């Protein structure tokens, strides 16, 4: 055992005897609610004496308890122990205990010393007694009242209440303070099973849980109720049944929901069968859930089951009004019951239009039939009729028409085995045994590794299409063509071919950035090579301001042209891709970089941004960027939910100075005229290499001061404006 000390008390008797009483506790038993107490008595003497010891505790540690006699020789000068004077202490209802203890000595059977300095000690506490007799009463689906009994002598400081829902995990739902004996749960909802348990707490020490109690709230109605005729009975099925309903009540309406009567209460299994209902009326059903006295609302009404009757004619006949390939043709239809009974039989008949007699096929429950047919120049007509549980057939369906034809054929006529141009016009021939015209086509181009390079399709009776993809010289390609009449497609026709053609000379490009104009000036000449390649008949110039990731068309022209581009970067590298094209369509391309290093802000406007203002004096640029965002709040969530939209915004704010009659900067009137241009968009290029297109704001131009110059007084102006980026 691991005894724990309660302390000690010492006294002396005469001059040669002293005593010491020492207390210990151990064996705390929370089930029996007891703790063991032991007191040891020690004495020390210098004279030989015959002593007995006893333990006293004013009734706490048994008076007249066990004794022991020891002889001590004179001059022993050592403590001698009289031990194991013990008793068991019981805890009170609150789990608390204390005791008063001490000890005394008797010399030569005469009380020679009485230990009167007793010690009162508090022992370690245990949880209080558990609450009892927990009960729950249902007030409504939203309130359940709990009550319990408190054992005599228990004074709780608070009570812990736990609940679990639908056999889930236990969670705390209440913790009222004080020595309470009841509590109301107002957070419950319908269609649930709730279990509760409670435990008292005193000064942080929680008692054992009570037993659990269960309460149910009103069950939900079933989800979908459906009815189906089965022989002479009607089978009713209910789905999404609530988990804690114990029975169900079934009602019927024979007038389409005008009035209802109960057919059976206490139904416990599904589906439920309405045996031999009347054939003279219609039948509609609804169901409610019950558990004891708890009753749900009724479900939505089921479908209505009518009397046994022949079905309506089938609909949805496929194929109808189309051509199909000769061979096995699948005919399909939709059974249309009046009395909800499934299809039990069918008859299908077909013939060539105007033919003398029908070919009739029969079957049972399948809603399709595969028929082997040969091609014919005459359309074929067909009909179907079905049965349900009624003995009579439906009427024949409307007549459907289908053309059974020979599969068409195509052949690639261009290119042949070789091809000599980058531009590829694909041509093909069409044939169909019954003379039907082509109505649709598909063309695919692959490289030799069968990577799809381009796919085109269209409608109509055409026999050629020029592909957008430009084939390269010295390569092998495969072109495939497929065509159709109606929904009947030919097989793919394939042609493999090799390319070999000579491109024109690489164009000769020169020029660069022009600071006064804020533009790039380039000259494009026809290249010179030996031997002379095919002549260049046109030149395409493209621009990239993002390192070649994207390209913008600048112009299409002929060799020997000089032009200016006002949409290049004013600071940074602009790439120009110049492509020379021969009459054959073969092309040669060169990339020409132009580097600009302007410290000015450039504002451009007008048609093609052809008007430009140079703003080099103290330019300032500030950017403001954003994306559309919102916060939505939803019931049951403690915080809002953030959303980000597709729309973004970028605004550039520009400021600087102007000086009258300074050729290095724009004039005030020129800037005003540019801002008021009737084109909707302007362009800003800044010293950091940005190029932003958008809608400009008002320009603010206050006159700040005047300066003396040799040509007279010149005004110094400040300007500011902003531009919001838009699509071009």
């Amino acid at each position: 055992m691991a005894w724990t000390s309660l302390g000690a008390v010492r006294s002396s008797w005469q001059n040669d005897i002293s005593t010491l009483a020492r207390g210990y506790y151990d064996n705390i038993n929370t089930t029996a609610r007891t703790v063991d107490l032991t007191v040891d008595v020690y004495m020390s003497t210098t004279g030989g004496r015959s002593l007995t010891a006893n333990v006293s505790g004013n009734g706490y540690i048994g008076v007249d308890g066990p004794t022991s006699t020891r002889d001590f020789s004179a001059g022993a000068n050592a403590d001698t122990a009289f031990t194991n004077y013990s008793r068991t202490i019981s805890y009170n209802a609150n789990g608390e205990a204390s005791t008063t203890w001490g000890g005394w000595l008797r010399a030569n059977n005469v009380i020679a010393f009485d230990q009167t300095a007793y010690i009162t000690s508090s022992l370690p506490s245990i949880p209080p007694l558990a609450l009892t007799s927990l009960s729950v009463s249902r007030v409504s689906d939203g309130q359940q009242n709990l009550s319990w009994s408190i054992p005599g002598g228990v004074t709780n400081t608070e009570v812990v209440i736990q609940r679990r829902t639908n056999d889930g995990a236990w969670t705390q739902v209440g913790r009222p303070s004080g020595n309470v004996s009841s509590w109301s749960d107002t957070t419950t909802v319908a269609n649930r099973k709730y279990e509760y348990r409670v435990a008292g707490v005193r000064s942080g020490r929680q008692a054992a849980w009570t037993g659990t109690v269960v309460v149910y709230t009103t069950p939900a109605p079933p989800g979908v109720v459906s009815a189906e005729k089965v022989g002479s009975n009607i089978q009713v099925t209910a789905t999404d049944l609530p988990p804690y309903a114990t029975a169900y009540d079934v009602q019927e309406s024979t007038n389409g929901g005008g009035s209802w009567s109960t057919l059976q209460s206490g139904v416990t299994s599904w589906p439920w069968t309405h045996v031999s209902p009347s054939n003279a009326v219609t039948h509609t059903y609804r169901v409610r859930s019950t558990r004891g006295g708890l009753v749900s609302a009724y479900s939505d009404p089921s479908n209505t089951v009518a009397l046994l009757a022949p079905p309506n004619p089938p609909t949805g006949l496929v194929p109808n009004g189309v051509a199909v390939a000769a061979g096995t043709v699948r005919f399909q239809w939709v059974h249309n019951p009046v009395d909800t009974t499934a299809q039990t039989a069918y008859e299908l008949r077909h013939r060539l239009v105007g033919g003398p007699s029908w070919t009739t096929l029969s079957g049972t429950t399948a809603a399709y039939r595969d028929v082997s047919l040969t091609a014919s120049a005459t359309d074929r007509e067909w009909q179907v009729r079905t049965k349900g549980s009624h003995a009579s057939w439906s009427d024949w369906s409307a007549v459907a028409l289908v053309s059974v034809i020979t599969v068409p054929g195509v052949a690639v006529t261009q290119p042949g085995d070789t091809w000599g141009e980058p531009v590829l016009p694909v041509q093909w021939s069409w044939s169909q045994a019954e003379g039907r015209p082509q109505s649709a086509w598909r063309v695919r181009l692959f490289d030799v590794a069968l990577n799809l390079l381009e796919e085109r399709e269209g409608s109509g009776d055409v026999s050629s299409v020029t592909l957008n993809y430009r084939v390269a010289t010295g390569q092998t390609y495969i072109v495939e063509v497929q065509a159709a009449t109606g929904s009947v497609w030919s097989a793919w026709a394939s042609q493999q071919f090799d390319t070999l053609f000579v491109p024109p000379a690489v164009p000769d490009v020169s020029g660069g950035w022009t600071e006064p104009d804020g533009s790039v000036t380039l000259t494009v000449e026809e290249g010179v090579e030996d031997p002379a390649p095919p002549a260049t008949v046109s030149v395409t110039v493209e621009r990239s301001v993002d390192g070649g990731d994207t390209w913008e068309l600048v112009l299409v022209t002929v060799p020997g042209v000089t032009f200016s581009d006002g949409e290049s970067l004013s600071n940074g590298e602009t790439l120009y891709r110049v492509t020379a094209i021969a009459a054959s369509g073969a092309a040669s391309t060169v990339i020409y970089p132009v580097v600009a290093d302007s410290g000015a802000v450039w504002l451009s406007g007008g048609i093609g941004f052809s008007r430009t203002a140079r703003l080099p004096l103290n330019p300032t640029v500030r950017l403001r960027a954003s994306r559309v965002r919102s916060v939505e709040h939803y019931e049951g969530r403690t915080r809002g939910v953030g959303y980000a939209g597709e729309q973004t915004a970028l605004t550039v704010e520009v400021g600087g100075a102007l000086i009258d009659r300074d050729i290095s900067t724009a004039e005030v009137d020129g800037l005003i005229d540019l801002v008021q241009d009737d084109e909707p968009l302007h362009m800003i290029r800044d010293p950091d290499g940005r190029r932003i297109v958008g809608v400009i704001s008002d320009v603010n131009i206050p006159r700040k001061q005047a300066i003396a110059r040799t040509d007279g007084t010149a005004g110094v102006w400040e300007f500011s404006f902003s531009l919001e980026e838009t699509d071009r």
Side-chain angles (χ1 to χ4, degrees), residues 572-651:
E573 183 179 68
T574 303
L575 300 179
Y576 290 90
R577 184 167 65 186
V578 183
T579 303
I581 303 173
S584 66
S588 296
T589 300
V590 65
I591 304 294
Y592 187 81
V594 175
V595 177
D597 190 20
S598 176
V601 170
W602 296 85
L603 176 66
S604 302
I607 297 175
F609 303 109
S610 58
R611 302 178 59 192
T612 301
R614 186 172 187 267
L615 306 170
L617 302 181
N618 299 327
T620 62
V621 178
R622 185 171 71 175
L623 302 174
R624 290 188 291 109
S626 65
R627 177 181 287 273
V628 171
R629 290 179 170 85
S630 65
V631 177
E632 301 294 335
H633 297 273
Y634 299 99
E635 182 178 354
R637 303 193 68 156
T638 58
R639 295 183 178 85
V641 178
Y643 294 93
E646 295 297 323
Q647 183 178 350
T648 59
L650 175 64
T651 300

Side-chain angles (χ1 to χ4, degrees), residues 492-516:
W492 286 97
S494 179
Q495 174 66 48
Q496 180 172 305
F497 62 97
D498 299 321
T499 58
L500 182 63
F501 47 88
V502 180
V506 174
D508 184 15
V509 184
S510 61
W513 170 259
T514 305
E515 178 68 22

Side-chain angles (χ1 to χ4, degrees), residues 423-434:
V423 178
L424 179 61
V426 179
Q427 299 178 3
W428 63 89
S429 62
W430 162 265
S431 62
Q432 204 284 318
E434 287 76 43

Side-chain angles (χ1 to χ4, degrees), residues 3 6-7 9 20-25 36-42 54-57 60-61 82-87 99-104 119:
W3 293 92
L6 288 172
V9 59
L20 175 70
R22 188 179 299 276
Y24 304 88
Y25 71 89
D36 292 343
L37 173 66
T38 293
V39 177
D40 292 346
V41 180
Y42 298 81
N54 206 340
V55 178
S56 176
Y60 295 97
I61 303 296
F82 298 82
T83 61
N84 295 329
Y85 296 90
S86 301
R87 67 175 295 176
T99 185
T100 302
W101 55 274
W104 50 268
I119 294 178

Side-chain angles (χ1 to χ4, degrees), residues 324-330 370-375 404-405 407:
V324 297
T328 299
V329 178
R330 172 161 290 190
D370 292 332
V371 182
S372 181
L373 298 173
T374 59
V404 183
I405 65 172
V407 175

